[in-house]
């Protein structure tokens, strides 16, 4: 067996997958796993695979559409897709392949031409509005996908307001409870940690600003419940009509039509077919609340009738619904269009690798020959015992369960000790998911009474039994019935937690429903009521959104009839602690950076893809702290501004030239030009000088600004030259302004009087002699065709600035800055750390910025495809010049191609004018050469040539 189950890069399509060869062996298979899922036939005690034929066909069609160049897209969508697919280091968090595939599939479904969707029919749920589902395993980035959907829909809706069949700018998000609703607040553009900035979803700042025009409402499903009539109302009112319902539920969106809906954890939004007979108990065993499902769907039906739902996007790791059949309890939604399941996520390293027991030193199960710890609930001695009604909390657990806890506890202790040795004081967590409240009470007693083998686990104040009824009320924001004993347990957990007294007081003041949520939602999070928990016991599944990263051990004590149910339970503990990578030679022979494996040990949950528990594996490392990287308004003196260039065009244009050495001087005589005059009342030839008033042009400086004079002169010259000029009108005006400006500043314009060298007097003289000056300049102009580099600016975001950078967070190494408007410089290598130090120390450097999240990039062509080059540093020298600097350890042909593109960028921007003088350079081979490069450019006043490449050639030659 391969040393790890992680065989694929999370950023590329899967190249291989694992397939079950036998109960104890996996075999490596070339190619991607076909979309599908496994089901346990509870009647025949067999396992079978259900293939998702629709998803597999859609994958093929999307690939054909992609190869054809995404025909049919709007310009906005094309910008977004190109931006999201770009693998250049332009964002802190690149997108996973599964996220890009999911959004691309949704875009294909909405925007691709009919010929690319021919023969594909996506069924619905029988309702009047369209549903389309993306199936993504827990931990693969569903929330980021939601942000991508919103960005795509809203920007297109604002740009194309008549395309109401495809796009909408009003968004309604429905969550399964308050926990998820609060987590989804990061989908609000104004949230400090919003995902639009965190993942750099918009290609430019202009589109990001437009995204603020979204109309967004995030609610939990309980909001969709019908209004209850007042219990003691004298006036009898009828049932709430649809319009009143919609106004109450939609609130700020009540006046809006044409909404899109995003259902998070969409398996709760289940439309029960009228002909289907299924009991409440069977539905609840699948983690679905029948009342919730009915209210969720019925509420959206009412909204659609009154306001129209354009389309509903469902997202879920386990989008299945009851079938009412004995042999197959659950089946996947028919409208699933993309699938990246738990097994795919394990193979890509996006989640922890679950390890299950495949053998032990006792007799195996007589039917399956597996270890009896593999699926505890199916062992008769366990299943019959824990299914008894009325079992007392003090009753002993079945022996096999006690053995399982002893084995898991031993490994949990070892993990705890390794975390403590690493200085991580938050403990690992053991999670139990069981079948009944009676079983949960017995387990709680087992750990609290001293029956457990390991003293460290005998800690009632660190053990939380999640009361499902109380938690359900908490998720709905309602009050649960009185239970003093349970409330005392919660208060004891708070009292024992090592947090400040003020925080304890805040928690103690909460009602028990709020307190339970405050503890459950924050397991393993520092400074909270769940900080020190080490044992969580839950009936059925914990609520979605529960993502404690420090879960290292799971025990399942309930029936598992499908792999999807296994995913629901195990998914609660699969979120990774860290995302560190290592270089691995993959099965196709290519070396890639893969995530280091992290493990969770699982008993009682029958997974089909797993790591042998006998194989080694370190426990997850403790989480690393993050740094807020900010643009500081108080450091505006260090602001760096640059043009955002989409491309550089080589343009052949007729150019106006003047041989300045041959231009004769034009002399303006101030004695012949009146700058002021006095006026007095007159009668006949006589004037009353005592009543004289003056008109002095020097008192009207605003009317003689140099910029205005330039445009007046250029306009007059344009009117005379336009008939015989072969180029564009705009290019002629630009050249005339440049030539006139040079003439104004040259020694070819003579004003002999020293008194009239005053700038204002000089400008007034020029204004009053403008026609003579224009005629003089026109007489010296020649026209010729020349090739020049012309920058094409981003029309939506033409100017970039360090001032505009949004705050972002990183766990990468950071250095605090002094000469930068950006608070920190991320230094991924010792070279970059050294460079930051030299920039801070160099007297010739006025300001600098590490080019991370700034948006500065240069486009270039490499092997036929358009790429983005993100240089390392932007620098402003004390002499006013600005430089783009790259730090390279080794050089390659692609690096040289990038620098040629940057050369063209510098030439084009300098030639265009208006952005100051720019230069570029590179430090290759030896970090100490940074000082030579800085001194060279700081000393030269005008455009300066790069010297780093020459030094690199000499050093390696």
């Amino acid at each position: 067996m391969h040393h790890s189950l992680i065989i694929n890069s999370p950023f590329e399509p899967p190249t291989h997958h694992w397939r079950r060869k036998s109960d104890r062996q996996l075999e490596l298979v070339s190619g991607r796993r076909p979309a599908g899922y496994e089901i346990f036939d509870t009647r025949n005690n067999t396992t079978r695979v259900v293939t998702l034929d629709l998803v597999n066909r859609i994958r093929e069609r999307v690939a054909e559409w992609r190869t054809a160049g995404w025909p049919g897209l709007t310009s906005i969508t094309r910008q977004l897709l190109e931006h999201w697919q770009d693998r250049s280091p332009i964002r802190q968090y690149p997108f996973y392949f599964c996220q890009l595939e999911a959004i691309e599939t949704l875009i294909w479904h909405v925007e691709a031409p009919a010929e690319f969707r021919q023969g594909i029919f996506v069924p619905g749920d029988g309702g009047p509005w369209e549903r389309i589902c993306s199936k993504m395993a827990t931990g693969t980035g569903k929330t980021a996908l939601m942000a991508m959907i919103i960005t795509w829909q809203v920007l297109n809706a604002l740009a194309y307001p008549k395309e109401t069949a495809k796009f909408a700018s009003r968004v309604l998000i429905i969550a399964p409870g308050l926990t998820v609703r609060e987590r989804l607040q990061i989908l609000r553009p104004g949230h400090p940690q919003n995902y639009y900035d965190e993942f750099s979803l918009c290609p430019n700042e202009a589109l990001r600003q437009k995204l603020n025009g979204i109309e967004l409402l995030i609610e939990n499903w309980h909001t969709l419940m019908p209004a209850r009539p007042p219990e003691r109302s004298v006036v009898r009112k009828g049932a709430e009509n649809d319009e009143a319902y919609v106004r109450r539920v939609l609130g700020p969106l009540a006046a809006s039509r044409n909404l899109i809906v995003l259902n998070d954890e969409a398996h709760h939004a289940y439309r029960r077919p009228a002909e289907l007979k299924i009991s409440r108990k069977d539905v609840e065993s699948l983690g679905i609340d029948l009342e919730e499902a009915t209210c969720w769907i019925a509420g959206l039906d009412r909204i659609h009738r009154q306001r129209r739902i354009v389309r509903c996007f469902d997202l879920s790791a386990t989008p299945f619904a009851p079938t009412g059949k004995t042999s197959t309890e659950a089946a996947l939604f028919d409208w699933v269009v993309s699938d990246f399941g738990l097994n795919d996520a394990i193979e890509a390293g996006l989640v922890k690798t679950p390890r299950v027991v495949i053998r032990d030193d006792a007799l195996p199960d007589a039917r399956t020959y597996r270890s009896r710890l593999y699926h505890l609930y199916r062992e008769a001695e366990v299943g019959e015992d824990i299914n008894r009604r009325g079992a007392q909390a003090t009753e002993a657990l079945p022996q096999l369960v006690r053995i399982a806890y002893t084995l898991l506890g031993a490994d949990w202790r070892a993990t705890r000790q390794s975390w403590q040795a690493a200085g991580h004081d938050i403990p690992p967590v053991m999670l139990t998911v069981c079948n009944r409240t009676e079983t949960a009470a017995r387990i709680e007693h087992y750990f609290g009474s001293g029956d457990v083998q390991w003293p460290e686990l005998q800690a009632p104040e660190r053990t939380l039994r999640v009361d499902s009824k109380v938690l359900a009320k908490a998720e709905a924001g309602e009050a649960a019935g009185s239970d003093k004993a349970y409330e005392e347990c919660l208060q004891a957990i708070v009292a024992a937690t090592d947090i400040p007294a003020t925080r304890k007081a805040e928690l103690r003041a909460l009602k028990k429903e709020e307190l339970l949520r405050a503890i459950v939602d924050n397991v393993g999070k520092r400074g909270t009521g769940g900080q020190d928990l080490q044992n969580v016991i839950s009936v059925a599944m914990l609520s979605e959104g529960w993502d404690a990263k420090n879960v290292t051990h799971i025990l399942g004590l309930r029936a598992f009839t499908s792999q999807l149910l296994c995913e629901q339970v195990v998914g609660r503990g699969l979120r990774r602690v860290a995302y560190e990578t290592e270089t691995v030679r993959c099965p196709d022979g290519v070396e890639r950076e893969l995530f280091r494996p992290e493990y969770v040990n699982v008993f009682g949950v029958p997974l089909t893809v797993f790591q042998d528990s006998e194989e080694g594996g370190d426990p997850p490392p403790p989480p690393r702290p993050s740094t807020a990287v900010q643009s500081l308004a108080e450091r505006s003196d260090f602001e760096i501004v640059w043009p955002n260039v989409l491309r550089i065009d080589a343009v052949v244009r007729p150019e106006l030239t003047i041989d300045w050495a041959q231009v004769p001087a034009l002399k303006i005589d101030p004695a012949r030009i009146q700058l002021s005059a006095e006026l007095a009342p007159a009668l006949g030839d006589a004037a009353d000088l005592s009543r004289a008033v003056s008109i002095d042009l020097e008192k009207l400086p605003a009317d003689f600004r140099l910029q205005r004079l330039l445009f007046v002169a250029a306009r007059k010259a344009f009117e005379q030259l336009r008939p015989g000029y072969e180029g564009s009108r705009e290019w002629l005006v630009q050249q005339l302004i440049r030539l006139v400006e040079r003439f104004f500043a040259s020694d070819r314009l003579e004003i002999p009087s020293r008194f009239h060298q005053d700038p204002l007097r000089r400008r007034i003289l020029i204004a009053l002699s403008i026609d003579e000056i224009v005629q003089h300049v026109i007489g010296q102009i020649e026209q010729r065709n020349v090739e020049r580099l012309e920058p094409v600016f981003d029309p939506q975001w033409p100017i970039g600035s360090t001032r505009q950078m949004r705050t972002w967070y990183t766990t990468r190494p950071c250095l605090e800055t002094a000469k930068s408007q950006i608070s920190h410089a991320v230094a991924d290598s010792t070279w970059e750390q050294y460079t930051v130090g030299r920039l801070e120390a160099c007297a010739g450097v006025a300001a600098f910025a590490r080019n991370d999240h700034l948006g500065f990039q240069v486009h270039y062509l490499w092997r036929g495809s358009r790429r983005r080059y993100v240089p390392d540093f932007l620098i402003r020298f004390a002499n006013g010049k600005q430089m783009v600097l790259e730090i390279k350890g080794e050089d390659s042909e692609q690096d040289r191609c990038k620098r040629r593109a940057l050369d063209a960028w510098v030439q084009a921007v300098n030639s265009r004018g208006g952005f100051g003088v720019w230069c570029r350079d590179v430090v290759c081979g030896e970090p100490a050469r940074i000082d030579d490069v800085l001194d060279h450019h700081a000393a030269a006043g005008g455009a300066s040539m790069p010297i780093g490449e020459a030094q690199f050639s000499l050093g390696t030659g």
Side-chain angles (χ1 to χ4, degrees), residues 277-297:
K277 294 182 179 180
I278 183 168
S279 70
R280 181 178 296 273
K281 177 184 175 184
D282 290 341
V283 174
E284 289 176 352
S285 71
L286 298 174
I288 297 175
D289 183 298
L290 205 54
E291 180 191 21
E292 172 184 358
T294 303
C295 288
W296 194 321
I297 290 297

Side-chain angles (χ1 to χ4, degrees), residues 67-231:
T67 302
W70 296 319
L73 293 185
T74 69
S75 62
I76 294 287
T77 304
R78 185 171 294 278
Q79 280 188 72
L80 292 175
L81 266 182
E82 289 176 351
H83 178 63
W84 295 341
Q85 300 255 2
D86 195 329
R87 292 294 302 275
S88 303
I90 56 174
R91 58 174 60 85
Q92 182 184 10
Y93 304 113
F95 292 114
Y96 300 138
F97 163 76
C98 59
Q99 294 169 320
L100 294 172
E101 180 186 52
I103 189 65
E104 190 180 28
T105 303
L106 296 176
I107 292 172
W108 164 86
H109 177 76
V110 173
E111 295 193 48
E115 61 265 29
F116 288 93
R117 294 181 285 112
Q118 190 172 3
I120 300 289
F121 172 71
V122 180
D125 71 345
W129 36 277
E130 181 186 4
R131 298 181 72 175
I132 180 171
C133 181
S134 303
K135 177 176 175 287
M136 293 176 67
T138 298
T140 57
K142 289 197 300 295
T143 308
L145 174 61
M146 294 173 76
M148 296 167 87
I149 294 172
I150 291 170
T151 304
W152 160 54
Q153 281 285 308
V154 171
L155 291 181
N156 273 292
L158 295 175
Y160 312 105
K162 294 183 179 180
E163 292 279 6
T164 55
K166 293 181 178 180
F167 310 115
S169 62
R170 289 105 179 183
V171 183
L172 172 63
I173 301 176
I174 305 296
L178 293 178
T179 298
V180 178
R181 191 188 74 172
E182 290 178 7
R183 187 194 69 197
L184 294 180
Q185 297 305 309
I186 53 179
L187 294 176
R188 296 189 182 280
H191 192 279
Q193 282 85 48
N194 73 82
Y195 268 27
Y196 311 103
D197 298 331
E198 192 86 357
F199 288 90
S200 182
L201 288 182
C202 296
N204 55 55
E205 183 63 16
L207 288 178
R208 175 62 184 84
Q209 292 297 331
K210 288 183 180 179
L211 194 59
N212 291 332
I214 186 176
E215 296 179 54
L216 175 67
L217 181 65
I218 305 174
E219 290 291 353
N220 54 325
W221 74 268
H222 307 82
T223 307
L224 299 175
M225 295 179 70
R228 296 176 181 174
E231 294 181 2

Side-chain angles (χ1 to χ4, degrees), residues 259-328:
L259 299 91
I260 59 166
V261 175
L262 275 69
N263 285 330
D264 194 15
E265 309 298 350
H267 52 277
H268 292 273
Y270 159 62
R271 187 187 297 275
R272 182 172 60 167
E275 70 278 4
L276 183 61
K277 294 182 179 180
I278 183 168
S279 70
R280 181 178 296 273
K281 177 184 175 184
D282 290 341
V283 174
E284 289 176 352
S285 71
L286 298 174
I288 297 175
D289 183 298
L290 205 54
E291 180 191 21
E292 172 184 358
T294 303
C295 288
W296 194 321
I297 290 297
L300 292 180
D301 282 345
R302 298 178 79 175
I303 291 171
H304 177 68
R305 284 196 294 269
Q306 298 301 116
R307 297 295 186 268
R308 182 174 175 262
I309 294 175
V310 175
R311 188 170 289 103
C312 175
F313 298 96
D314 289 339
L315 297 102
S316 175
T318 55
F320 62 97
T323 63
K325 300 176 182 178
T326 306
S327 60
T328 307

Side-chain angles (χ1 to χ4, degrees), residues 812-853:
R812 293 147 65 193
C814 293
L815 299 174
E816 291 189 25
T817 63
K819 280 187 181 179
S820 178
Q821 189 171 22
I822 309 304
S823 62
H824 295 76
V826 176
D828 294 315
S829 67
T830 55
W831 273 48
E832 289 171 351
Q833 292 182 27
Y834 178 80
T835 301
V836 170
R838 300 317 302 154
L839 290 170
E840 293 280 13
C842 180
V845 172
F848 76 94
R850 175 77 163 87
N851 184 28
D852 201 332
H853 283 68

Side-chain angles (χ1 to χ4, degrees), residues 626-630 807-810 823-824:
S626 62
T627 302
V629 183
Q630 308 172 70
T807 301
W808 56 284
Y809 297 83
T810 182
S823 62
H824 295 76

Side-chain angles (χ1 to χ4, degrees), residues 41 49 100 154 167 245 247 260 328 354 423 459 503 542 603 781 827-828 834 869 917 942:
D41 188 328
V49 175
L100 294 172
V154 171
F167 310 115
Y245 172 87
R247 288 186 177 278
I260 59 166
T328 307
R503 182 63 183 132
L542 278 167
F603 283 11
I781 288 178
D828 294 315
Y834 178 80
Y869 167 38
V917 177

